[in-house]
Amino acid sequence: MLITLVRHGESTGNIMQQWQGITDGPLTEKGVLQAKLVSRALSNYKFSTIFSSPLSRAFDTAKIIRKGLSTSYPPEIIINPLFIELNMGSMEQVSWNVPFRIHTRDTCFPKGESLNDVLKRALLSLDLLLYSNNNKTNDIKEEEEGEHILVVSHGMFLTELIHALCIHYNYQWIDLTWSNTGVTTIEIKQQEEEKIQFKCINNIQHLI
């Protein structure tokens, strides 16, 4: 089983250097181009499922990727609020450049979430990624071994999703910095001692 994670393209909040969180900032022209380039890089991937955050900067990136897939019948995009970005509360649309630390792993953004809150959501989202419907078992079902799932989301959420995977499989956590349209692919092998393997991490070769 493969899981490919993609951060959205550049958005208006990125270029304004503002905390975005759940504020629905659209893609910039550059962000649309980045999405088209990552779509080209992923065009031959045979995704069985596509999940997206409901925020337009992620959903529009997912739509561009889906449109570029070479298969005749690409899967529909499943929007799920579990994949939304960290809620930054009263700091949303405020400059990143503040002279103090706003939050920690345990401390929430004012009127928002903490990283641990997002980790809890990420752990819940693993049920969607690893197990089908209501037939949950301790192992991935045999028929799912060939699946390839795409998740298009946001930097902080995707970091916590990787954190959740590492917890689930007792793997040393990789704390990533995500570039716009950065691609990370994880292979999951239930029958091997090392159950997860990172095939690529924040790959942006398509932008070079």
Side-chain angles (χ1 to χ4, degrees):
M1 179 184 190
L2 294 168
I3 299 175
T4 290
L5 311 177
V6 178
R7 186 188 175 205
H8 60 79
E10 181 189 77
S11 63
T12 53
N14 294 150
I15 62 172
M16 296 172 71
Q17 298 189 354
Q18 293 177 342
W19 298 106
Q20 287 187 100
I22 61 173
T23 299
D24 201 6
L27 294 175
T28 62
E29 288 186 13
K30 180 179 178 180
V32 172
L33 175 60
Q34 290 172 333
K36 290 178 178 178
L37 291 171
V38 75
S39 174
R40 188 182 304 167
L42 300 177
S43 63
N44 291 322
Y45 285 41
K46 299 185 184 305
F47 295 116
S48 50
T49 311
I50 301 174
F51 288 106
S52 174
S53 159
L55 297 178
S56 63
R57 59 189 184 270
F59 183 49
D60 288 347
T61 301
K63 287 191 291 185
I64 291 169
I65 293 172
R66 180 182 182 274
K67 184 177 180 180
L69 295 176
S70 59
T71 179
S72 300
Y73 301 101
E76 296 296 326
I77 300 168
I78 301 170
I79 296 175
N80 193 299
L82 285 174
F83 298 105
I84 206 166
E85 180 61 300
L86 185 152
N87 182 343
M88 298 174 183
S90 60
M91 295 303 297
E92 296 205 0
Q93 297 181 284
V94 174
S95 172
W96 300 334
N97 300 311
V98 293
F100 54 88
R101 189 178 181 90
I102 296 172
H103 71 107
T104 65
R105 173 153 292 281
D106 298 305
T107 304
C108 297
F109 274 83
K111 300 181 181 179
E113 292 180 300
S114 69
L115 290 173
N116 278 339
D117 291 329
V118 180
L119 175 60
K120 290 175 185 176
R121 278 199 281 117
L123 287 164
L124 287 174
S125 76
L126 288 186
D127 275 353
L128 291 175
L129 303 180
L130 301 181
Y131 311 114
S132 65
N133 301 320
N134 295 318
N135 300 317
K136 297 182 177 69
T137 64
N138 289 329
D139 295 317
I140 297 172
K141 293 173 64 179
E142 183 178 352
E143 60 267 29
E144 294 179 321
E145 291 289 345
E147 286 196 357
H148 192 168
I149 297 172
L150 172 65
V151 178
V152 184
S153 184
H154 312 269
M156 288 189 175
F157 177 81
L158 291 174
T159 295
E160 294 308 313
L161 181 54
I162 287 177
H163 191 178
L165 276 165
C166 290
I167 290 171
H168 186 80
Y169 288 110
N170 194 29
Y171 191 92
Q172 183 177 355
W173 180 31
I174 299 176
D175 188 5
L176 295 185
T177 298
W178 285 84
S179 304
N180 290 120
T181 66
V183 178
T184 296
T185 296
I186 305 107
E187 184 174 12
I188 299 173
K189 297 181 178 181
Q190 284 296 122
Q191 307 305 319
E192 297 187 14
E193 183 176 349
E194 186 171 307
K195 290 186 167 53
I196 62 173
Q197 179 182 358
F198 286 83
K199 309 294 283 185
C200 65
I201 297 176
N202 191 37
N203 187 344
I204 54 169
Q205 288 296 310
H206 53 279
L207 300 180
I208 298 174

